[in-house]
């Protein structure tokens, strides 16, 4: 991640870089900023990239729209996020751009989840999964499987949900890409919690938190601190529950992860 960001920033620093390549480099830096939660910086770069990129550079043009959609989703501006992703979907379909199809289908599936259309979401995620498998995109496959879990979980299909997470863990173990390992472990902890396996839920959620800490992922750390609170409350460990709430609050305030404030307030009320 740091190497990718450094390389893209070095490219941008070159005053002789052609306009189109500058747009590509801006996309790359912006993607890194989204992952680290620096949304305003990412928004500026994606917007400027769209200005510089020729429309026949479909791959990067779609990426910029998808990146802006991710930013608006993080901010809770769902109508704008949907509109941006629809532009990307239209371009994917028009030009049969397979390199970005997985991203776009995945986000459409997320919107379906948010609408409560779990069966529709599952269909979209399965299409994204098939795209990953056909293109051997092992980097994104665990993330898609994690979303397939969410659809199955909402449908009450716990066996299928568990299978999706186990598939994700297998791909992570084989590929060595641990980027999605924390969310997968966190969701496995949720399954344990739902089934009343509190000790296993606590162990798995703590492992998910450790992954975020090792990756220095501030947003992931804050979110997983909050995710631990429910299990700690069920176990009657109030001191640890408050400690995790305070840890999350500090991260939210110092890193600007304001989209988590509502979740933090709800956990505090409980």
């Amino acid at each position: 991640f740091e190497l990718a960001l450094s390389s893209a920033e070095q490219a941008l620093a070159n005053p002789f870089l052609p306009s189109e390549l500058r747009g590509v480099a801006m996309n790359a830096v912006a993607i890194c900023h989204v992952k680290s939660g620096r949304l305003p910086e990412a928004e500026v770069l994606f917007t400027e990239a769209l200005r510089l990129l020729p429309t026949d550079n479909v791959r990067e043009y779609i990426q910029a729209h998808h990146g802006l959609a991710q930013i608006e989703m993080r901010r809770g501006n769902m109508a704008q996020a949907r509109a941006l992703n629809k532009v990307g979907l239209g371009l994917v379909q028009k030009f049969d751009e397979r390199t970005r199809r997985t991203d776009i289908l995945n986000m459409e599936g997320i919107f379906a989840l948010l609408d409560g259309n779990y069966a529709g979401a599952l269909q979209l995620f399965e299409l994204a999964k098939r795209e990953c498998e056909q293109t051997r995109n092992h980097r994104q496959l665990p993330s898609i499987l994690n979303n397939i879990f969410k659809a199955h979980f909402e449908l009450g299909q716990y066996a299928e949900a568990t299978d999706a997470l186990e598939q994700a863990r297998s791909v992570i173990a084989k590929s060595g890409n641990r980027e999605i390992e924390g969310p997968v472990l966190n969701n496995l902890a949720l399954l344990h919690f739902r089934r009343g396996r509190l000790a296993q839920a606590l162990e798995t959620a703590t492992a998910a938190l450790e992954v975020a800490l090792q990756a220095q992922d501030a947003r992931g750390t804050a979110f997983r601190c909050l995710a631990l609170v429910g299990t700690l409350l069920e176990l009657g460990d109030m001191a640890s529950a408050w400690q995790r709430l305070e840890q999350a609050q500090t991260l939210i305030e110092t890193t600007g992860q304001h989209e988590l404030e509502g979740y933090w307030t709800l956990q505090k009320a409980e």
Side-chain angles (χ1 to χ4, degrees):
F1 173 80
E2 294 297 333
L3 181 60
L5 177 59
S6 175
S7 298
E9 286 179 333
Q10 285 178 26
L12 273 182
N14 181 354
F16 302 108
L17 192 68
S19 177
E20 179 177 352
L21 292 181
R22 185 169 295 278
V24 173
M26 284 180 173
N27 261 359
V29 175
I31 290 166
C32 293
H33 284 334
V34 169
K35 289 182 178 180
S36 62
R38 299 172 64 186
L39 303 187
E41 295 91 333
E43 182 178 31
V44 169
L45 287 167
F46 278 133
T47 302
E48 181 65 10
L50 282 175
R51 190 183 69 80
L52 294 175
L53 288 166
T55 54
D56 61 356
N57 188 340
V58 179
R59 181 178 183 274
E60 295 294 334
Y61 208 70
I62 294 171
Q63 178 61 69
H65 279 89
H66 177 67
L68 288 169
Q70 286 181 298
I71 291 168
E72 296 300 343
M73 180 182 281
R74 289 269 193 96
R75 289 173 172 165
N77 300 331
M78 302 310 293
Q80 185 65 10
R82 288 171 188 256
L84 286 161
N85 204 59
K86 284 295 183 188
V87 173
L89 181 62
L91 291 169
V92 163
Q93 293 171 335
K94 181 178 179 179
F95 294 99
D96 194 27
E97 178 51 62
R98 297 193 67 175
T99 59
R100 296 301 179 197
R101 186 180 294 167
T102 301
D103 292 324
I104 301 298
L105 288 171
N106 185 46
M107 186 166 278
E108 287 296 305
I110 292 170
F111 292 139
L113 275 183
L114 293 171
D115 290 340
N117 180 12
Y118 305 126
L122 185 58
Q123 289 180 338
L124 286 161
F125 292 141
E126 289 287 357
L127 285 172
K129 177 190 174 187
R130 192 177 310 138
E131 192 68 25
C132 278
E133 292 170 340
Q134 290 177 354
T135 58
R136 297 185 179 181
N137 183 355
H138 301 301
R139 183 185 62 82
Q140 278 186 285
L141 184 55
S143 179
I144 302 300
L145 288 164
N146 192 48
N147 284 336
I148 288 173
F149 150 81
K150 294 176 186 177
H152 280 306
F153 184 83
E154 294 293 346
L155 290 165
Q157 299 167 348
Y158 296 144
E160 292 86 347
T162 303
D163 181 60
L165 291 182
E166 292 302 338
Q167 286 185 55
R169 294 182 73 185
S170 176
V171 175
I172 290 167
K174 290 176 182 177
S175 68
N177 179 13
R178 300 184 66 193
E179 185 177 341
I180 194 68
E181 185 178 18
V184 168
L185 286 170
N186 202 59
N187 285 329
L188 191 57
L190 178 60
L191 271 174
H192 288 318
F193 183 84
R194 182 63 63 92
R195 292 180 168 184
R197 303 168 182 165
L198 297 182
Q200 289 171 284
L202 180 61
E203 180 182 358
T204 311
T206 302
L209 174 59
E210 185 59 33
V211 169
L213 287 167
Q214 289 178 3
Q216 297 182 322
D217 176 2
R219 184 177 187 277
T221 300
F223 181 80
R224 277 162 214 143
C225 283
L226 293 171
L228 270 164
V229 172
T231 301
L232 291 166
L233 288 176
E234 286 293 320
L235 289 167
D237 189 349
M238 297 296 292
S240 296
W242 276 112
Q243 181 184 10
R244 294 305 182 191
L245 272 175
E246 289 171 355
Q247 186 177 357
Q249 182 184 24
T250 299
L251 283 166
I252 290 167
E253 290 176 348
T254 56
T255 62
Q257 307 293 331
H258 299 298
E259 70 272 17
L260 295 178
E261 284 179 343
Y263 189 21
W264 176 84
T265 303
L266 179 62
Q267 293 288 64
K268 185 178 180 182
E270 290 180 356

